[in-house]
Amino acid sequence: MTALDTLLQGGLRHAATQAPYLDIAGVGKQFGTFVALKDVSLRVQEGEFISFLGPSGCGKTTLLRAIAGLDPATTGVIRQAGRDITGLPPAARDFGIVFQSYALFPNFSVADNIAYGLRGPAWPKARVTARVAELLDLVGLAEHARKYPAQLSGGQQQRVALARALAPEPGLLLLDEPLSALDAIVRLHLRQEIRDLQRRLGVTTIMVTHDQEEAMAVSDRILVMRSGHVQQVGTPEEVYRSPATAFVASFVGRSSAFDAVVQAAPGSITAHGVTLAADAVRGLVYGTPIRAFVRPEDVRLGQAAEGMPGALPMTVTHLEFLGPTCRLALEQGAFRLEADAAPDLVRATGALPGAQVLAAIAPDRIMVFPADE
């Protein structure tokens, strides 16, 4: 083993064992008889960008508000930088927060909005002025300092809200669906700006979102929630490629889902009369019912499908042109798949509605879960 290998392994062990910056242990939250959070645990390292992802009503915003102290946890413990903050009021916690609605003061200028939280002996006037100027430059709004929120676009207002949250130099930045009120192009641009800014500052960040693409684009790790439970915590690639539950497989990204039964031949399943090779069922008992998922980009078409196990002719029933790719709906009897293909491949294979095309799925690309999950 080289000296570099030893150094790298030591660094990885240190990263894995160092105390987390934010430690959420067994947190629950009830509103009367309604249980919003159930035994949620998460360890966040300093400088990480974590997204809470899930459908509306899953508990992700409730968890964020518990961290902020806006809706204190009913059970469990929350520690930040080794300090137990579970019962502390929001003002005694070290965080900045950006809301979906921006929550800017309409009668304050951009500069005054950013400076609003900079008070007390730690913030003399000269330091406040310097900090506001620094943040205006950081978010690209220096020329708008004297304007009022109503004079700004939605994206500019969100930059002001972000600068205001960062102004007191918090150890933790909380983002509650900060981009959902913006149009698609502005949202795409601003999410990258937020990620670049977070990396530059190194501030530990938690973002709540229901947008899977947004979460995968900016996060170091994603926490997927459903009905107050944590379904999975992992990197974007882990959550997408190795979902822990059928819910995660269906919610994160696009996929075709179908019921199937394990066959006697090792590593094979039957779905609606179609037999497919599926590595994930090796070792399962013959006759076991399962729920299978296939990503559209994992379906091979035309010549690429020739010779693959389980290749079969399927009828194209629908085609959507999405710019760099086309999404095809395929059927053979009751068996249905979605497939993504480049427009050139669609033309080359003649995969237009009503035509037949050879389709196949690599055995290691079929995701399998218990049928009753």
Side-chain angles (χ1 to χ4, degrees):
M1 182 180 290
T2 67
L4 179 59
D5 290 334
T6 303
L7 181 62
L8 288 173
Q9 286 196 6
L12 289 171
R13 281 195 298 269
H14 174 69
T17 58
Q18 66 180 332
Y21 176 74
L22 184 69
D23 189 1
I24 301 167
V27 163
K29 178 64 181 179
Q30 286 188 233
F31 296 96
T33 59
F34 174 68
V35 179
L37 296 175
K38 306 169 187 176
D39 193 27
V40 174
S41 294
L42 176 68
R43 292 160 68 89
V44 181
Q45 297 299 327
E46 188 170 5
E48 264 197 297
F49 195 122
I50 304 283
S51 289
F52 295 169
L53 176 66
S56 297
C58 72
K60 55 188 185 294
T61 295
T62 301
L63 180 56
L64 188 85
R65 292 176 65 86
I67 294 168
L70 300 171
D71 282 318
T74 307
T75 59
V77 177
I78 302 174
R79 294 185 180 87
Q80 182 181 358
R83 183 174 66 135
D84 187 343
I85 63 169
T86 313
L88 295 180
R93 305 190 187 203
D94 179 20
F95 71 92
I97 190 166
V98 178
F99 296 102
Q100 176 182 345
S101 61
Y102 315 145
L104 299 177
F105 299 108
N107 57 326
F108 282 19
S109 68
V110 166
D112 289 341
N113 263 284
I114 295 172
Y116 181 77
L118 305 181
R119 303 181 180 187
W123 292 98
K125 186 175 180 180
R127 187 185 177 198
V128 170
T129 300
R131 181 61 175 162
V132 170
E134 177 188 6
L135 286 164
L136 283 168
D137 186 59
L138 199 62
V139 298
L141 292 175
E143 70 274 22
H144 301 290
R146 304 321 308 171
K147 289 184 179 179
Y148 291 89
Q151 298 173 295
L152 304 177
S153 68
Q156 290 171 330
Q157 290 182 46
Q158 192 59 288
R159 288 186 182 93
V160 177
L162 183 61
R164 184 178 62 184
L166 291 168
E169 301 174 341
L172 181 64
L173 177 63
L174 304 177
L175 308 172
D176 188 8
E177 303 209 38
L179 308 179
S180 60
L182 303 174
D183 65 63
I185 293 177
V186 174
R187 189 164 67 241
L188 186 67
H189 184 66
L190 192 53
R191 80 183 185 198
Q192 191 56 55
E193 284 189 14
I194 289 174
R195 181 51 165 154
D196 290 344
L197 186 60
Q198 187 269 340
R199 281 179 174 147
R200 248 185 296 163
L201 299 176
V203 60
T204 307
T205 301
I206 293 175
M207 180 175 73
V208 164
T209 181
H210 62 270
D211 187 321
Q212 306 123 43
E213 182 181 305
E214 184 175 285
M216 289 192 287
V218 302
S219 308
D220 294 311
R221 287 189 297 152
I222 298 172
L223 178 145
V224 185
M225 297 188 68
R226 180 191 189 192
S227 302
H229 287 283
V230 174
Q231 296 282 299
Q232 185 172 1
V233 181
T235 66
E237 184 176 5
E238 288 168 346
V239 168
Y240 185 79
R241 275 294 166 204
S242 303
T245 67
F247 171 78
V248 177
S250 64
F251 184 77
V252 178
R254 188 99 171 195
S255 60
S256 302
F258 50 88
D259 293 319
V261 176
V262 177
Q263 293 304 300
S268 65
I269 59 175
T270 297
H272 302 293
V274 172
T275 299
L276 302 169
D279 291 346
V281 300
R282 291 184 182 276
L284 294 185
V285 176
Y286 167 65
T288 302
I290 55 105
R291 184 76 169 161
F293 294 84
V294 176
R295 301 292 188 196
E297 68 271 19
D298 291 332
V299 179
R300 298 290 174 259
L301 300 175
Q303 288 185 343
E306 291 178 3
M308 290 181 64
L312 70 156
M314 300 189 73
T315 302
V316 180
T317 59
H318 184 69
L319 186 147
E320 290 181 79
F321 178 74
L322 304 175
T325 190
C326 294
R327 180 154 294 150
L328 292 81
L330 307 172
E331 288 186 6
Q332 189 188 86
F335 181 66
R336 295 177 175 85
L337 287 176
E338 282 189 338
D340 285 350
D344 287 348
L345 178 60
V346 171
R347 283 191 291 269
T349 56
L352 300 174
Q356 279 203 335
V357 61
L358 192 66
I361 310 158
D364 63 343
R365 291 302 195 183
I366 298 179
M367 301 177 286
V368 170
F369 301 92
D372 57 353
E373 189 173 278

